[in-house]
Amino acid sequence: MKCKKLLTLITAATLCLSGCSGISRHAQANQDLSYTDMLFDTVIKIQILDSADQNILNGLKKLCQKYDTMFSTTNEDSDLYKLNHAGGAPVTVSDETADLIHEGIHYSELSNGAFDITIEPVSSLWDFKSESPEVPSSEAIAEAVSHVDYTGISLDGNTVSLADPNAGIDLGAIAKGYIADQVKTYLKSQGVRHAIINLGGNVDVIGTKLDGSKYNIGIQKPFDETGEAITSVKLKDQTVVTSGIYERYFKKDGKLYHHILDPKTGYPCDNNLYSVSIITDSSTEADALSTTCFLLGYEKGMKLINEMNGVEAIFITDDEEVHRSKGI
Ligand code: ADP
Ligand code: MG
């Protein structure tokens, strides 16, 4: 994805913080205690609003870089790279990778395979970041689709194996949420009580703003390059994660191709949604559910959220209508 688009995401997600927050002088003086980086294929920004030790930033950097490697499918040192190139042999992975695969299987089951973490053979065919992106051949897509099946994953403690030697795991749909949760736990353990964690539009907040009011986080207007918000949500110690077709895409011969892929066809999921945002306590859950609900479509996705406790959603359909779940 182009950097401009990434920055738009960041701007949109935090738009109302500077626009409508009334942050105090004291808070603004502390705004330099932030960590910005280009990780997880996106721009990340973590802002600590209360007084905190500068050393926390070093800890943050180490933590984020560790996960950047751990959950990459292309870094040869990563658990996932080793697993995806093991030809079906068992591979020992870190506690965190095992945890995340376990979560991924849960959402794959919940959606009956609409969400499927073994999408890797298909997702690795598509390059949404390329300067001159191409649609993969239909033969290559059909071949890749035949290896997608989460029921072939065996997870026993930290040992993982894939029944199909050509299968592969891609945790891209949930890793950022998981990392946001880990960052939040780390910052809290360091005594931080007010912070905004923004991993490419995946926003998780600690506490409230310094004046005790909730954070007002903008939800981006689909395809708006200026980062304008279509609506916003008020958060205290919660997270909001959006999956949308405007986040990573390219156009070819007038057709838009985006990065949320239908495991049955191998092509971008085709429905009437622009985006789904999930608001809840756990960012892992929000990230998993935003992609899952997108793949389930408006009706089934909204039904799923309305049956859950403590989880809310905002669906934006392609007529730019904003649909909210029952609790918000
Ligand atoms: P983003 O990564 O932009 O925040 P998402 O959380 O919606 O967006 O995740 C999209 C990513 O999930 C894709 O880039 C790919 O790595 C992965 N993915 C794509 N389709 C599926 C699918 N059907 N099931 C599980 N993961 C998927
Ligand atoms: Mg997701």
Side-chain angles (χ1 to χ4, degrees):
M1 179 170 22
K2 317 275 177 313
C3 256
K4 190 173 158 217
K5 216 189 287 170
L6 284 166
L7 285 168
T8 306
L9 272 181
I10 296 271
T11 325
T14 50
L15 184 73
C16 296
L17 275 174
S18 46
C20 10
S21 72
I23 293 174
S24 69
R25 273 198 119 96
H26 171 69
Q28 290 200 341
N30 272 307
Q31 273 189 355
D32 54 339
L33 209 54
S34 69
Y35 166 51
T36 310
D37 212 336
M38 184 79 203
L39 291 176
F40 326 120
D41 253 354
T42 193
V43 178
I44 69 165
K45 182 166 186 182
I46 300 166
Q47 277 173 277
I48 300 170
L49 303 182
D50 45 355
S51 308
D53 188 331
Q54 189 79 26
N55 287 328
I56 291 181
L57 298 186
N58 300 332
L60 263 182
K61 191 171 180 170
K62 255 173 102 175
L63 191 72
C64 290
Q65 289 181 344
K66 176 178 94 170
Y67 290 128
D68 186 49
T69 304
M70 192 182 285
F71 302 136
S72 162
T73 49
T74 51
N75 187 321
E76 295 187 13
D77 295 328
S78 78
D79 284 348
L80 289 184
Y81 186 91
K82 288 175 191 152
L83 177 65
N84 294 346
H85 293 82
V91 171
T92 304
V93 300
S94 65
D95 290 351
E96 292 102 321
T97 305
D99 246 22
L100 208 45
I101 291 177
H102 181 76
E103 288 289 323
I105 294 171
H106 169 73
Y107 290 97
S108 303
E109 285 170 348
L110 182 75
S111 64
N112 217 352
F115 179 96
D116 190 323
I117 54 166
T118 61
I119 195 77
E120 192 275 337
V122 177
S123 57
S124 62
L125 285 179
W126 292 89
D127 186 357
F128 297 96
K129 287 175 287 176
S130 162
E131 283 299 320
S132 49
E134 291 292 336
V135 178
S137 74
S138 54
E139 292 79 14
I141 288 182
E143 214 284 316
V145 162
S146 72
H147 302 297
V148 178
D149 178 9
Y150 69 93
T151 65
I153 307 171
S154 301
L155 178 64
D156 181 12
N158 287 42
T159 306
V160 195
S161 56
L162 302 171
D164 177 343
N166 295 315
I169 291 183
D170 173 354
L171 295 172
I174 51 177
K176 272 187 278 152
Y178 184 85
I179 297 159
D181 284 335
Q182 302 303 311
V183 166
K184 194 172 193 173
T185 303
Y186 167 73
L187 289 178
K188 282 185 166 181
S189 77
Q190 299 297 308
V192 171
R193 291 182 299 129
H194 308 273
I196 307 148
I197 301 155
N198 188 342
L199 310 183
N202 184 329
V203 180
D204 203 355
V205 303
I206 296 183
T208 58
K209 289 191 282 182
L210 286 178
D211 64 6
S213 63
K214 291 184 175 181
Y215 299 92
N216 197 18
I217 308 293
I219 309 270
Q220 193 187 336
K221 187 171 178 193
F223 300 106
D224 189 293
E225 292 274 326
T226 63
E228 194 189 323
I230 193 165
T231 184
S232 65
V233 291
K234 289 204 169 3
L235 299 186
K236 175 185 175 184
D237 227 6
Q238 279 199 313
T239 182
V240 56
V241 178
T242 300
S243 286
I245 68 168
Y246 56 86
E247 288 176 3
R248 279 165 209 261
Y249 70 89
F250 64 84
K251 280 189 177 162
K252 192 94 190 170
D253 302 327
K255 196 168 158 45
L256 184 147
Y257 296 90
H258 64 84
H259 75 315
I260 305 172
L261 304 164
D262 182 341
K264 289 202 177 65
T265 64
Y267 287 87
C269 175
D270 191 12
N271 60 27
N272 68 337
L273 289 174
Y274 270 169
S275 69
V276 181
S277 303
I278 302 288
I279 303 101
T280 190
D281 295 340
S282 150
S283 210
T284 311
E285 186 178 20
D287 197 0
L289 280 174
S290 63
T291 314
T292 300
C293 286
F294 190 97
L295 286 153
L296 287 175
Y298 175 66
E299 311 251 299
K300 283 190 190 163
M302 188 62 103
K303 184 166 178 288
L304 175 68
I305 299 303
N306 282 330
E307 285 167 0
M308 297 179 90
N309 284 326
V311 182
E312 301 300 341
I314 296 176
F315 288 67
I316 301 177
T317 40
D318 58 10
D319 51 4
E320 296 207 353
E321 282 297 313
V322 177
H323 310 262
R324 294 165 188 272
S325 59
K326 283 181 184 157
I328 47 169

